[in-house]
């Protein structure tokens, strides 16, 4: 792999930024963010160093699940703008060096989608087979629902025909039936449409549920004996249409199944997968000040083909799920970061953002983001993380972390000039409100979290080892320290993070290095010599962190 190849497989070293147009920037003063507002903020995102925007659903919606219940796969929600406004954003983002991907939510439609309206009207509807029906009363499926606060079955009786339809999420989100070739064609066609408008791929929602065919009858299931074949088809379709488009999948499953969704050794299914397991164990490590759980999760990752990548994150728009931890582990994370039941949701997750969970301690917050960006993979940020936004626990469920972006210390945090009561969602108030946490103030402050995030992003982009390289844990004696290196071609990058409050002196031995090598600090000034056996001793403050590039006398790499 050459440095020039990193542009073909751009997503291996991308910095992804997830945002919801409706809560990002309101330009027409109606209280709802819009594409025009986003266009105004593209320079900010480019300056931050983002290289790929992930837009949460912007399609027409019945708005039961914040846009994840779509009524038209080809439309743009009129509150956000028009197709023209979207294209302007994509074009301008491209000019600023950023690609745009969007949520592809095709496990289900809204129950207000014309397909479902037709399907539920009669068993003879041409769209009946687009969904999954059963005529006999369903068994108890209360343990299978995704949103246990609202649902107790994955089957809903449709009065009109007296049959039940499958819905993995809310009852207003009937599942599509991918065993029907017409459904698969419709999905690909919708993808082709958005790719034609300039998108560089999709964040694929709920992929395991999309592929699941267990609710269908045998004859139906026979039409798609291997549901993964559908993913392979979609990957090759996106490849054919764009050359470099990406499928970033939501697959929160144990490692062996994740490997399968990558396409195994062939790597020909999802391009990238969110690393839900490392995320969960990272929180356990932070809670216990013990690097062990994270180290284990990272080393247990299945090896993926060069055509695949892990997407790393510490926060997304949903509950911070801890579902893969044992009960005791989850309780430890709850106790550390969300002890009050109001901070928890669905019995498995937290509805807080990172800074309040870390008691606003700037050392820990920076250490956590330094760790995130130093992990092997492609980092994904959720809007507002770069300035350290907090949550609003008065909002329902997952909405706690989906509050408007805080641009200034002014009215409505600069998000909108509409009267407060008309805002799509209230702006956070209190200690994490815009008076204390906003972009405008942090932009001009070299010591702000925003400035620190810019530095991290710049360094991440300068270290293709992180996106491409071989990951290796480095032996050292402290349980609360994670030391690792990533090597790629002739480059090696070493990162050391102290998850504990006590200062540590960390002895390291780097294979293949001697006194002709040095460790150059990448996040601060300074460098450390290595002994003729490749040894060095690194000092870390409590919650300290260092990124170091291994250089040799003849290295032509810029530091
Ligand atoms: C996963 C999305 O991240 C979540 O926000 C949504 O509610 C469900 N899928 C259903 O689309």
């Amino acid at each position: 792999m050459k440095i020039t190849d990193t542009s073909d497989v751009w997503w291996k070293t991308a910095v992804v930024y997830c945002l919801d147009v409706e809560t990002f920037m309101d330009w027409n003063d109606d209280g709802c963010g819009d594409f025009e507002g986003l266009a105004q903020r593209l320079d900010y995102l480019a300056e931050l160093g983002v290289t790929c925007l992930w837009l949460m659903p912007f399609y027409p919606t019945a708005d039961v699940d914040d846009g994840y219940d779509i009524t038209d796969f080809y439309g743009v929600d009129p509150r956000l703008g028009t197709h023209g406004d979207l294209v302007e954003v994509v074009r301008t983002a491209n000019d600023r060096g950023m690609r745009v991907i969007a949520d592809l939510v095709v496990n289900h439609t809204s129950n207000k989608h014309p397909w479902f309206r037709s399907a539920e009207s009669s068993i003879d509807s041409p769209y009946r087979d687009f969904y999954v029906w059963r005529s006999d009363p369903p068994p108890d499926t209360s343990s299978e629902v995704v949103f246990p606060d609202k649902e107790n079955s994955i089957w809903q009786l449709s009065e009109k025909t007296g049959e039940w339809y499958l819905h993995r999420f809310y009852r207003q989100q009937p599942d599509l039936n991918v065993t029907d070739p017409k459904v698969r064609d419709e999905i690909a066609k919708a993808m082709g449409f958005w790719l034609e408008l300039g998108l560089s791929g999709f964040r694929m929602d709920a992929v395991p549920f999309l592929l699941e065919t267990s609710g269908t009858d045998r004859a139906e299931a026979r039409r798609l004996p291997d549901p993964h074949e559908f993913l392979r088809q979609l990957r090759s379709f996106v490849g054919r249409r764009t050359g470099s488009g990406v499928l970033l999948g939501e697959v929160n499953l144990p490692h062996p199944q994740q490997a399968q969704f990558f396409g195994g050794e062939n790597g020909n299914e999802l391009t990238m997968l969110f690393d839900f397991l490392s995320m969960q164990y990272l929180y356990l490590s932070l809670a216990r000040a013990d690097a062990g759980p994270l180290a284990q999760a990272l080393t247990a990752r299945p090896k993926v083909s060069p055509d695949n990548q892990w997407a790393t994150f510490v926060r997304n728009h949903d509950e911070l799920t801890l579902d893969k931890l044992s009960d005791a582990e989850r309780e430890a994370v709850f106790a550390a970061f969300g002890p009050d039941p109001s901070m928890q949701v669905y019995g498995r997750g937290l509805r807080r953002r990172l800074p309040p969970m870390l008691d606003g301690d700037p050392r820990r917050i920076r250490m956590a983001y330094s760790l995130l960006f130093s992990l092997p993979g492609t980092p994904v940020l959720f809007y507002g993380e770069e300035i350290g936004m907090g949550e609003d626990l008065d909002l329902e469920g997952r909405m706690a972390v989906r509050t408007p972006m805080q641009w200034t210390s002014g009215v409505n945090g600069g998000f909108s000039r509409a009267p407060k009561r008309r805002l799509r969602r209230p702006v956070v108030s209190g200690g994490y409100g815009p008076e204390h946490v906003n972009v405008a103030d942090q932009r001009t402050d070299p010591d702000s979290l925003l400035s620190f995030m810019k530095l991290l992003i710049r360094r991440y982009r300068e270290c293709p080892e992180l996106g491409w390289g071989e990951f290796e844990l480095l032996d050292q004696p402290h349980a609360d320290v994670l030391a690792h290196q990533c090597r790629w071609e002739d480059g090696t990058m070493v990162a050391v993070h102290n998850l504990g409050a006590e200062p540590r002196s960390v002895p390291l031995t780097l294979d293949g290095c001697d006194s002709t090598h040095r460790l150059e600090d990448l996040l601060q000034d300074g460098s450390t010599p290595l002994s003729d056996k490749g040894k060095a001793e690194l000092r870390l403050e409590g919650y300290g962190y260092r990124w170091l590039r291994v250089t040799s006398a003849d290295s032509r790499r810029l530091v």
Side-chain angles (χ1 to χ4, degrees):
M1 182 56 63
K2 303 182 302 242
I3 191 76
T4 43
D5 294 340
T6 56
S7 52
D8 301 332
V9 271
W10 57 272
W11 39 269
K12 291 278 276 202
T13 48
V15 175
V16 182
Y17 186 97
C18 168
L19 66 92
D20 194 353
V21 177
E22 69 174 354
T23 50
F24 202 59
M25 183 68 210
D26 170 22
W27 207 249
N28 65 359
D29 299 333
D30 66 352
C32 181
D34 41 48
F35 278 107
E36 272 193 276
L38 171 55
Q40 297 292 334
R41 291 297 183 252
L42 291 173
D43 285 313
Y44 161 76
L45 294 168
E47 185 193 318
L48 175 58
V50 169
T51 66
C52 176
L53 302 182
W54 153 20
L55 304 181
M56 284 169 65
F58 52 74
Y59 316 96
T61 174
D63 214 11
V64 172
D65 187 9
D66 199 23
Y68 284 87
D69 49 321
I70 296 170
T71 53
D72 175 6
F73 286 139
Y74 293 96
V76 172
D77 182 337
R79 293 170 313 151
L80 311 182
T82 63
H83 286 92
D85 297 322
L86 167 84
V87 170
E88 293 298 294
V89 160
V90 174
R91 163 121 187 126
T92 312
N94 287 170
D95 174 67
R96 307 301 199 264
M98 295 182 289
R99 292 176 167 88
V100 182
I101 65 171
D103 250 293
L104 180 77
V105 189
V106 289
N107 168 68
H108 48 266
T109 65
S110 160
N111 61 343
K112 301 275 176 348
H113 191 290
W115 294 343
F116 189 73
R117 282 187 186 279
S118 168
E120 70 169 348
S121 69
S122 152
I123 55 168
D124 299 320
S125 156
Y127 292 99
R128 184 74 174 179
D129 192 39
F130 272 38
Y131 298 89
V132 183
W133 299 91
R134 65 181 297 147
S135 49
D136 53 333
D140 176 11
T141 51
S142 52
S143 63
E144 293 177 56
V145 300
V146 178
F147 300 132
D149 58 333
K150 293 273 161 57
E151 301 295 345
N152 59 12
S153 171
I154 60 171
W155 295 97
Q156 176 66 27
L157 180 65
S158 171
E159 302 289 346
K160 290 186 186 135
T161 56
E163 289 193 342
W164 287 260
Y165 62 85
L166 180 74
H167 64 91
R168 285 289 170 177
F169 297 96
Y170 296 123
R171 69 191 65 183
Q172 294 90 344
Q173 293 167 303
D175 275 30
L176 282 167
N177 180 3
V178 291
T179 69
D180 184 338
K182 291 206 280 297
V183 169
R184 300 201 295 274
D185 281 352
E186 289 288 354
I187 291 173
K189 210 187 335 168
M191 291 167 81
F193 175 80
W194 295 109
L195 294 174
E196 210 61 34
L197 284 192
L199 292 193
S200 297
F202 303 94
R203 178 265 185 188
M204 277 188 84
D205 189 65
V207 189
F209 291 131
L210 170 70
L211 290 204
E212 210 216 25
T213 56
S214 60
T216 56
D217 65 33
R218 250 190 258 143
E220 286 180 319
R222 266 200 299 273
R223 298 182 298 190
L224 186 62
D226 175 11
H228 281 268
E229 180 55 26
F230 178 40
L231 269 192
R232 290 190 280 276
Q233 283 165 4
L234 292 182
R235 170 80 176 266
S236 92
F237 173 77
V238 171
R240 284 201 312 276
R241 291 277 168 109
T242 68
S244 63
V246 68
L247 292 178
L248 166 55
E250 184 198 24
V251 180
N252 179 13
L253 291 176
H255 283 138
Q257 282 106 302
Q258 289 194 317
Q260 217 189 341
F261 279 86
F262 273 129
E265 281 173 13
N266 298 326
N268 57 355
E269 296 188 25
L270 294 169
T271 331
M272 302 209 272
L273 256 64
F274 291 104
D275 189 352
F276 277 97
L277 290 163
S278 298
M279 182 279 289
Q280 302 191 32
Y281 286 103
L282 184 147
Y283 278 98
L284 183 61
S285 279
L286 292 175
R288 290 186 173 162
D290 173 6
L294 174 61
Q296 249 172 355
L298 290 169
T299 44
R301 275 175 171 183
K303 199 170 158 37
V304 299
S305 118
D307 293 332
N308 297 122
Q309 176 67 308
W310 294 100
T312 53
F313 66 106
V314 295
R315 217 341 155 182
N316 67 12
H317 60 291
D318 285 326
E319 78 280 12
L320 194 164
T321 184
L322 303 166
D323 66 337
K324 297 291 178 288
L325 302 184
S326 70
D327 290 349
E329 292 168 339
R330 189 178 315 107
E331 283 313 318
V333 180
F334 279 166
F337 301 135
D340 195 286
S342 71
M343 299 166 174
Q344 303 164 11
V345 65
Y346 311 138
R348 62 172 185 254
L350 287 163
R351 47 191 217 104
R352 307 188 76 191
R353 282 183 178 253
L354 182 84
M357 289 197 284
L358 299 182
D359 298 325
D361 182 340
R363 296 170 309 161
R364 289 185 88 184
I365 296 167
R366 286 170 196 223
M367 185 271 291
Y369 283 111
S370 166
L371 184 53
L372 169 68
F373 277 88
S374 76
L375 295 181
T378 294
V380 182
L381 287 176
F382 181 49
Y383 75 93
E385 284 195 276
E386 72 275 25
I387 53 169
M389 273 171 55
E391 69 278 346
D392 180 350
L393 291 175
D394 290 339
L395 296 180
E396 210 212 333
R398 295 170 293 159
M399 299 310 126
V401 300
R402 300 189 192 176
T403 57
M405 181 67 182
Q406 297 172 193
W407 296 105
T408 70
S409 58
V411 178
N412 298 332
F415 160 69
S416 170
R417 294 186 300 195
K420 206 170 162 186
R421 68 189 147 74
R422 292 191 54 205
L423 295 191
R424 169 70 179 141
R425 218 161 274 139
V427 175
V428 165
S429 58
Y432 288 91
E435 309 79 15
H436 310 287
V437 177
N438 70 73
V439 169
D441 289 351
Q442 294 195 23
R443 275 185 88 195
T444 51
D445 176 358
D447 295 325
S448 66
L449 180 61
L450 179 63
S451 298
F452 178 68
M453 295 290 246
K454 278 185 201 169
L455 174 65
L456 284 180
I457 292 177
R458 196 165 80 229
R459 292 311 194 197
Y460 171 82
R461 294 282 290 167
E462 289 169 0
C463 296
E465 298 93 327
L466 294 171
W468 275 100
E470 290 289 325
F471 164 80
E472 203 184 312
L473 282 174
L474 295 172
D475 268 350
Q476 53 77 42
H478 308 292
D480 48 8
V481 170
L482 185 84
H484 69 277
Q485 67 176 10
C486 291
R487 287 204 247 198
W488 181 60
E489 307 273 288
D490 58 349
T492 302
M493 191 272 190
V494 172
V496 194
H497 289 84
N498 182 0
L499 277 53
E502 295 303 317
R504 296 284 179 221
S505 187
V506 184
L508 292 179
T509 305
L510 300 179
D511 279 352
C513 291
D514 56 30
S515 54
T516 63
H517 295 89
R518 295 184 74 79
L519 294 175
E520 301 285 348
D521 270 287
L522 297 181
L523 301 181
Q524 62 189 53
D525 288 337
S527 78
T528 309
L530 286 168
S531 74
D532 53 0
K533 298 245 164 46
K535 289 184 190 300
E537 184 99 11
L538 297 173
R539 171 117 191 116
L540 290 182
E541 298 303 322
Y543 304 120
Y545 45 84
R546 307 230 342 231
W547 289 31
L548 304 128
R549 170 157 307 132
V550 181
T551 58
S552 60
D554 60 351
S555 169
R556 292 195 292 177
R557 196 89 179 260
L558 284 174
V559 180

